[in-house]
């Protein structure tokens, strides 16, 4: 098995499997899943993410509807749209692309989404279910990381995992999933003393801080699995003096790859897996909302 974990290939397999299960669900009389994606404003990165999500819906046989709102939309207007989607029986999943413009209350919007349609797994109810080990909708990026880790390592029980970053979207749910898989989990963050020494003890390192090339070769125990969640756009000066924009992760890939046992690339690692897991969540939500069949 190659040491580079190919998230693009694995995500294609998941999308194909979701498409098969969508057909099975609808043939048994269940609801054909539909994902509503809400994009506020013109942020280029968010626009790209939303385009990719809609494209993957098509590949997975999931219907999608896109709602684009201007960056000056008010909180009541956005709430009204979320309410409308909550009450729309033809919509099984709702995703409000983050970050939202500063004048909007992100937490309030997330809590306004019906938890059974919360395919991001960000609603407090789903966060509580995850942290107590009960079934619910689980955030997509950490789910994608777990699928990749279990694919290459099998049972994770007893392994020491270090999660770099404590965000609600990745770091905290990632730690919860690793703990559920019986790992010993350390979360490190900007105030942690000697992050490098803690990482060197880890069998698994998950980097999710948004700092290009933060994780160096001497942070990694030889043979450890390294999962790079970072997607950072940087400008690089080429030999001919031209400046090009590149996507890089939180891991110094060229330096770490020879030391690691397994490593995810950026792009083509965690990114496509996140979207594939969004399709899995939309299918799960449709299944749960299909009262006659499961
Ligand atoms: N912005 C960056 N990642 C995500 C995500 O996973 N979900 C949503 N809704 N917004 C994001």
């Amino acid at each position: 098995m190659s040491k580079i974990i190919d998230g693009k290939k694995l995500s294609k397999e998941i999308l194909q499997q979701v498409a098969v299960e969508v057909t099975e669900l609808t043939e048994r009389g269940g609801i054909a899943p539909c994902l509503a994606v809400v994009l506020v404003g013109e942020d280029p990165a968010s626009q790209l993410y939303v385009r990719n999500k809609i494209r993957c819906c098509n590949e997975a046989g999931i219907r999608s509807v896109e709602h684009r709102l201007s960056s000056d939309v008010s909180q009541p207007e956005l709430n009204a749209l979320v309410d409308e989607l909550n009450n729309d029986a033809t919509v099984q999943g709702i995703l409000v692309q983050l970050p939202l413009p500063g004048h909007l209350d992100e937490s309030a919007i997330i809590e306004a989404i019906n938890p059974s349609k919360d395919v991001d797994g960000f609603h407090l109810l789903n966060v509580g279910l995850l942290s107590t080990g009960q079934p619910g909708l689980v955030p997509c990026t950490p789910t994608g990381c777990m699928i990749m880790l279990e694919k290459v390592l099998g049972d994770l029980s007893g392994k020491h995992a270090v999660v770099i970053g404590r965000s609600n979207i990745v770091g905290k749910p990632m730690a919860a999933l690793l703990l559920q898989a019986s790992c010993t989990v350390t979360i490190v963050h900007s105030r942690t003393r000697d992050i490098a020494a803690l990482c060197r003890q880890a069998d698994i390192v998950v980097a999710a801080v948004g700092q290009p090339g933060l994780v160096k070769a001497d942070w990694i125990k030889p043979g450890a699995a390294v999962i790079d969640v970072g997607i950072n756009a940087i400008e690089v000066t080429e030999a001919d003096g031209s400046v090009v924009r590149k996507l890089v992760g939180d891991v110094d890939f060229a330096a770490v790859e020879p030391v690691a046992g397994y490593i995810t690339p950026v792009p083509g690692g965690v990114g496509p897996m996140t979207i594939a897991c969004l399709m899995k969540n939309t299918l799960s939500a449709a299944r749960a909302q299909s009262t006659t069949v499961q």
Side-chain angles (χ1 to χ4, degrees):
M1 196 184 300
S2 159
K3 72 156 67 172
I4 297 176
I5 309 173
D6 187 344
K8 205 166 167 184
K9 180 159 169 258
L10 196 50
S11 71
K12 292 268 176 221
E13 290 167 15
I14 293 172
L15 293 180
Q16 279 169 12
Q17 183 59 31
V18 170
V20 168
E21 291 182 31
V22 165
T23 305
E24 282 170 5
L25 177 64
T26 51
E27 280 175 359
R28 278 182 287 136
I31 302 173
C34 172
L35 174 66
V37 181
V38 179
L39 174 61
V40 180
E42 315 279 316
D43 177 63
S46 291
Q47 285 178 332
L48 176 65
Y49 292 144
V50 165
R51 256 201 317 278
N52 285 337
K53 287 169 186 177
I54 302 282
R55 181 175 48 75
C56 286
C57 279
N58 294 333
E59 281 183 47
I62 290 175
R63 199 164 65 81
S64 59
V65 282
E66 194 179 337
H67 294 266
R68 284 176 175 254
L69 302 177
S70 117
S71 58
D72 62 0
V73 68
S74 70
Q75 186 89 18
E77 283 169 322
L78 183 52
N79 264 322
L81 173 59
V82 169
D83 263 355
E84 188 189 308
L85 296 171
N86 282 339
N87 295 321
D88 185 342
T90 68
V91 167
Q92 285 66 52
I94 302 169
L95 180 144
V96 178
Q97 185 65 29
L98 304 177
L100 292 171
H103 68 283
L104 295 169
D105 180 344
E106 232 165 63
S107 303
I109 295 295
I110 290 168
E111 297 329 312
I113 297 172
N114 177 340
S116 59
K117 296 189 176 185
D118 167 40
V119 285
D120 264 325
F122 295 164
H123 190 284
L124 287 179
L125 180 77
N126 286 315
V127 174
L129 290 170
L130 173 62
S131 69
T132 53
Q134 298 174 75
L137 288 163
V138 177
C140 305
T141 299
T143 305
C145 295
M146 290 300 286
I147 292 173
M148 290 195 283
L149 283 169
E150 283 170 345
K151 170 121 184 142
V152 294
L153 299 178
D155 183 14
L156 305 184
S157 172
K159 299 207 180 290
H160 184 197
V162 170
V163 178
I164 311 175
R166 52 175 158 175
S167 70
N168 292 334
I169 293 184
V170 185
K172 288 177 196 159
M174 187 74 233
L177 286 175
L178 288 161
L179 191 57
Q180 220 169 75
S182 301
C183 290
T184 301
V185 184
T186 305
I187 305 177
V188 301
H189 48 78
S190 52
R191 300 292 178 91
T192 301
R193 292 192 207 116
D194 208 348
I195 292 182
L198 289 163
C199 285
R200 269 194 294 275
Q201 297 172 26
D203 306 303
I204 295 166
V205 173
V206 180
V209 274
Q211 285 189 41
L214 173 76
V215 177
K216 309 291 183 215
D218 65 356
W219 291 29
I220 300 300
K221 180 166 77 176
V226 180
I227 305 290
D228 192 351
V229 179
I231 302 178
N232 310 291
I234 60 161
E235 290 188 343
V236 179
T237 307
E238 300 281 271
D240 65 359
S242 62
V243 177
V244 292
R245 279 172 75 77
K246 266 181 73 174
L247 280 188
V248 297
D250 292 348
V251 175
D252 181 347
F253 184 90
V256 170
E257 190 265 341
V259 183
Y262 297 100
I263 186 166
T264 62
V266 177
V270 174
M273 289 298 288
T274 295
I275 305 185
C277 291
L278 175 65
M279 300 303 121
K280 274 169 81 75
N281 275 357
T282 308
L283 170 63
S284 300
R287 265 207 192 105
Q289 289 163 50
S290 300
T291 46
T292 49
V293 290
Q294 295 295 311

